[in-house]
């Protein structure tokens, strides 16, 4: 008997490109700050500052832009010019204005899975930006619910299970982040399909030491359907 009753999909770097733009923004930021100071350790320092600010700014482009401004002032002892601060603001605006570029095979895979299961999109980040990307993706009509959350942790998934009246063992999550998409779901007794992206923010990296029988890695979007069929035939644990 198929145990899966509901499937969740991550958005950024699972359905469409995202981290590439953050990396490009970081490189431009370091080029700006590098005109004032040695930036050999600035990437690590920027990440440390971003991590501290997540509780205040949340995830997404706006939080990163604010952190870059703060970091630029801190790294240069407030010597950075107003012109260069404005350049950093423009980096953020450009990221918010990027077109939505679906990953290869994603639309076909999601639509095929939607013929067999109800789907929910679960993403985190800035509300307005994520809503715009979902709408621009052309995939919004496939999902029964769009969930934009402040954090994807066990508490967030428990709320989702309650709202949809499903047990953890009846849910499967598809995403590129082991930390946010796979680990909390598996820890609760659910299933997961990890679809690695070619670059992953260090904050989203993790290891999973339990529940190996309940999650798999799919090499690409085209591989998700086959991997789902494998897991759907697995007994619940």
């Amino acid at each position: 008997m198929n145990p899966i009753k509901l499937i969740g999909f991550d958005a950024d770097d699972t359905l469409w490109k995202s981290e590439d733009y953050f990396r490009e923004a970081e490189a431009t930021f370091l080029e700006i700050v590098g005109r004032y100071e040695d930036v050999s350790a600035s990437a690590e320092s920027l990440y440390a500052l971003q991590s501290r600010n997540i509780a205040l700014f949340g995830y997404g482009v706006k939080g990163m832009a604010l952190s870059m401004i703060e970091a630029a002032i801190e790294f240069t002892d407030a010597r950075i010019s107003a012109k260069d601060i404005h350049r950093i603001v423009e980096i953020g605006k450009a990221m918010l204005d990027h077109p939505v570029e679906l990953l290869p095979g994603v639309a076909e895979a999601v639509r095929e899975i939607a013929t067999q299961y109800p789907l929910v999109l679960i993403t985190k980040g800035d509300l307005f930006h994520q809503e715009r990307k979902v709408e621009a993706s052309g995939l919004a009509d496939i999902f029964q619910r769009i969930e934009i959350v402040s954090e994807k942790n066990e508490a967030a998934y428990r709320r989702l299970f309650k709202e949809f009246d499903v047990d953890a063992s009846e849910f499967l999550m598809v995403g590129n982040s082991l930390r946010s998409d796979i680990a909390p779901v598996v820890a609760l007794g659910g299933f997961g399909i990890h679809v690695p992206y070619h670059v992953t923010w260090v904050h989203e990296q993790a290891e999973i030491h339990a529940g190996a029988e309940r999650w798999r890695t799919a090499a690409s979007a085209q591989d998700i359907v086959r991997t789902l069929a494998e897991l759907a035939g697995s007994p619940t644990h």
Side-chain angles (χ1 to χ4, degrees):
M1 181 178 178
N2 188 340
I4 307 301
K5 293 184 179 179
L6 178 68
I7 293 180
F9 271 86
D10 170 51
D12 292 339
D13 299 320
T14 298
L15 301 182
W16 51 69
K17 289 176 60 174
S18 177
E19 185 61 23
D20 305 78
Y21 303 134
F22 282 85
R23 294 299 176 93
E24 291 168 9
E26 182 180 282
T28 304
F29 166 80
L30 293 176
E31 181 270 324
I32 293 170
V33 175
R35 292 162 47 194
Y36 297 86
E37 291 288 335
D38 175 18
V39 295
S40 56
S42 292
E44 292 80 5
S45 299
L46 175 61
Y47 168 65
L49 195 152
Q50 282 182 274
S51 297
R52 293 197 303 270
N53 283 341
I54 284 173
L56 292 173
F57 301 152
Y59 293 94
V61 173
K62 294 176 185 176
M64 182 181 184
L66 287 169
S67 290
M68 286 194 297
I69 292 170
E70 181 180 356
I73 295 168
E74 181 180 307
F75 295 169
T76 66
D77 272 337
R79 290 181 294 112
I80 189 166
S81 69
K83 181 178 180 180
D84 282 333
I85 290 291
H86 186 254
R87 287 185 64 194
I88 295 172
V89 172
E90 290 299 316
I91 293 172
K93 286 184 175 181
M95 292 175 71
L96 290 170
D97 200 38
H98 265 299
V100 173
E101 184 178 343
L102 292 178
L103 297 177
V106 156
E108 296 81 0
V110 173
R111 291 191 183 279
E112 181 175 348
I113 293 169
T115 64
Q116 305 174 57
Y117 299 93
L119 305 185
V120 57
L121 183 67
I122 311 169
T123 185
K124 61 187 181 184
D126 177 75
L127 177 63
F128 293 152
H129 190 209
Q130 292 297 84
E131 285 182 337
R132 187 192 68 78
K133 287 194 288 185
V134 171
E135 185 62 30
S137 73
L139 301 177
D141 63 302
I142 302 176
F143 297 96
Q144 290 196 356
R145 180 86 62 84
I146 308 296
E147 293 279 344
I148 301 173
V149 298
S150 58
E151 186 66 84
K152 287 197 283 189
N153 52 23
E154 291 185 21
Y157 287 108
R158 284 195 190 97
R159 289 194 297 271
L160 181 75
F161 301 156
K162 184 176 181 180
E163 289 174 11
F164 278 86
D165 193 26
V166 297
D167 187 77
S169 63
E170 299 170 327
F171 178 76
L172 182 144
M173 183 68 186
V174 181
N176 74 295
S177 169
L178 285 173
R179 178 184 179 273
S180 295
D181 302 319
I182 309 302
V185 172
V186 170
L188 290 171
F191 293 84
I193 297 178
H194 179 225
V195 190
Y197 193 57
H198 70 93
V199 58
T200 302
W201 186 29
V202 63
H203 189 76
E204 296 298 337
Q205 297 173 8
E207 295 182 3
I208 303 178
H209 300 290
E213 72 281 359
R214 283 184 276 108
W215 70 282
R216 302 280 190 279
T217 295
S220 64
Q222 295 90 332
D223 201 33
I224 294 173
V225 177
R226 179 191 61 78
T227 307
L228 171 59
E230 291 179 2
L231 280 170
S234 301
T236 55
H237 293 269

